Amino acid sequence: MAGIAQATREAARRARTRRESAGARRARRAGRTRPARALAAVAAAFTLAQLLLVRPGMGLGWDETVYVSQVSAHAPAAFFSAPRARGISLLVAPVAAWSSSTALLRIYLALLSGLALYLALRAWRGLFPDRVLALAGALFASLWVTLFYGPQAMPNYWVAVGALAAVACALRARADRRDRAALWGLAASGALMAWMRPMDAVWAALPLLALGLSRRHWRLLAVLLAGLAAGALEWVVEAYAGYGGLARRLADGSAIQGGLGLHMAVVDQLRSLGGRALCRPCTGPPPHPLVTAWWFALPVAAGAGLAIAVRARRTAPTLLPLACGVTAAFPYLFMIGYAAPRFLLPAYALLAIPVAEALLHPLAMRPGTRRTAAATLVALCLAAHFAVQLAVLTAVVGRTTAAHRDWSRTAAALHRVGVRPPCLLTGPEAIPVAFYAGCSSAATSGHNANSTDATITRTARRTPVAALVPTGSRPPGYARTWPFVPLTGVRLYYAVPGPPGA
């Protein structure tokens, strides 16, 4: 009789568990079908802020000219070094393939980046309340580096939103094995990350891969691997077609990045927070403490969010994005010898979830003086944080716009002396200036080496060629007899052959 009673209780417990699981699934589905107005508002504000603050007319940056030139009719394709992937080139192709308007390209990318943020946040619905997701989106979207790179033809933002969506889809697929939408979302997110930056995708996905192996979620693991493979396929094929194989391309990419190994780039990343797009070499003092305070608070708040989740017995939805954020940041903090703030965008996007959970925790307290004081403190800190990010962004946009105008003026000087398409440009800033002028670019040394002195000399006999030489430096041997024009910071040496038979 005791055995029968025990079996009856066990059967009742299992039935209750099934009912609760079904109820949880229905609640998650209901949460995902309710209007996501708060998330849409965050995404719309992010798009609008890009259009208002980053100036659609701001010219293309150095790396942007490389990516855009691969699909643009405005200028020949620039040298494509081993670490780069063609995902961002294909993303901008619908505009860049037929228009040379930078403003149109910026508007297109701002709209697309806002939509991507909305979709990535929406994937988390049912895992966290909308207020947590909206704050997480606002925290990520308000960083100067997010606003600055959202409308740019650069891959890092897209890895970030891909990673954010991938973690959410993995959690949903883990909780409900019949959620096919989550599996499709996981595959698409993995493909997006690998399409943009294959190695970054692997680092960001490591905890997801470990989860699939340790918990024997074979379907989740297979779908994620298929997505990553699909996104990286072109990069791998190109490695064998044009770089001497996959191992050679990886080795060349490591060499271009200064040799991957044990490096301490934490301080370099700290220095870059003041608005340095590329910190290589990274010298000088760090920015003002007000500019870097959020960076020190970030891991503390994320850890607090995890502690709150553990106490509430919902560890996985907070731990997994935290773990993926740590692995995404690891190579850029400890494996390269320089810094760029955009490298950490995937980590910032993922850590925003536990940070938002921690910041909203005071609202769960009982009404009273402590709750009011805590909420007021959080609001003041957020207001100060947003103000600092806006100040840094304004300064960065101003400096960048001025630098791009210098490149445009140099391109105009090239046209005045007769260096017009088809033409060739060499020198330290040949790649961006060549794009502005509609020329090809060439280098005989360095990471972008793709020519020789003899080849450039032969080219100058039939095609306009120019060399940009920093003021005070000697011109290359092939340009020493050429006439030159002094410009701001450089001398423009040029050779314009006459018409045939002249």
Side-chain angles (χ1 to χ4, degrees), residues 339-393:
R342 58 188 170 86
F343 292 162
L344 296 184
L345 276 172
Y348 298 150
L350 291 161
L351 294 181
I353 297 288
V355 169
E357 189 173 18
L359 292 178
L360 287 174
H361 184 65
L363 298 181
M365 297 179 181
R366 292 180 179 177
T369 305
R370 289 184 59 191
R371 172 177 169 174
T372 302
T376 302
L377 179 61
V378 169
L380 290 174
C381 290
L382 288 176
H385 169 68
F386 293 152
V388 168
Q389 296 302 309
L390 178 60
V392 176
L393 176 66

Side-chain angles (χ1 to χ4, degrees), residues 230-438:
L233 179 62
E234 188 278 333
W235 195 84
V236 173
V237 170
E238 188 180 49
Y240 288 98
Y243 293 87
L246 182 59
R248 177 63 181 273
R249 186 169 195 177
L250 290 171
D252 289 348
S254 174
I256 288 173
Q257 293 177 306
L260 297 181
L262 185 59
H263 298 281
M264 182 59 69
V266 176
V267 177
D268 293 344
Q269 285 289 349
L270 186 67
R271 290 192 179 105
S272 74
L273 294 178
R276 299 174 67 175
L278 181 63
C279 208
R280 186 179 189 180
C282 207
T283 57
H288 191 279
L290 283 176
V291 174
T292 58
W294 72 272
W295 209 63
F296 292 104
L298 182 64
V300 176
L306 178 60
I308 293 168
V310 170
R311 287 198 299 270
R313 296 184 180 180
R314 45 180 172 78
T315 305
T318 302
L319 177 60
L320 197 57
L322 181 56
C324 290
V326 169
T327 57
F330 182 83
Y332 292 114
L333 293 176
F334 303 108
M335 293 184 66
I336 64 173
Y338 64 100
R342 58 188 170 86
F343 292 162
L344 296 184
L345 276 172
Y348 298 150
L350 291 161
L351 294 181
I353 297 288
V355 169
E357 189 173 18
L359 292 178
L360 287 174
H361 184 65
L363 298 181
M365 297 179 181
R366 292 180 179 177
T369 305
R370 289 184 59 191
R371 172 177 169 174
T372 302
T376 302
L377 179 61
V378 169
L380 290 174
C381 290
L382 288 176
H385 169 68
F386 293 152
V388 168
Q389 296 302 309
L390 178 60
V392 176
L393 176 66
T394 301
V396 173
V397 170
R399 289 197 303 269
T400 304
T401 302
H404 295 176
R405 285 174 180 164
D406 286 343
W407 290 340
S408 184
R409 283 192 288 267
T410 302
L414 284 167
H415 292 168
R416 284 196 299 271
V417 299
V419 181
R420 299 185 181 90
C423 47
L424 179 68
L425 188 62
T426 69
E429 295 187 334
I431 288 178
V433 176
F435 180 85
Y436 278 66

Side-chain angles (χ1 to χ4, degrees), residues 52-86:
L52 293 177
L53 301 175
V54 189
R55 300 177 190 170
M58 184 177 70
L60 296 180
W62 185 309
D63 292 288
E64 288 186 288
T65 63
V66 175
Y67 290 119
V68 173
S69 70
Q70 308 304 309
V71 294
S72 173
H74 173 70
F79 178 76
F80 207 75
S81 60
R84 301 187 188 276
R86 297 188 183 272

Side-chain angles (χ1 to χ4, degrees), residues 179 183 213 216 227 230 250 305 330 367 438 489:
D179 191 341
L183 293 174
L213 285 171
R216 297 185 179 182
L250 290 171
F330 182 83

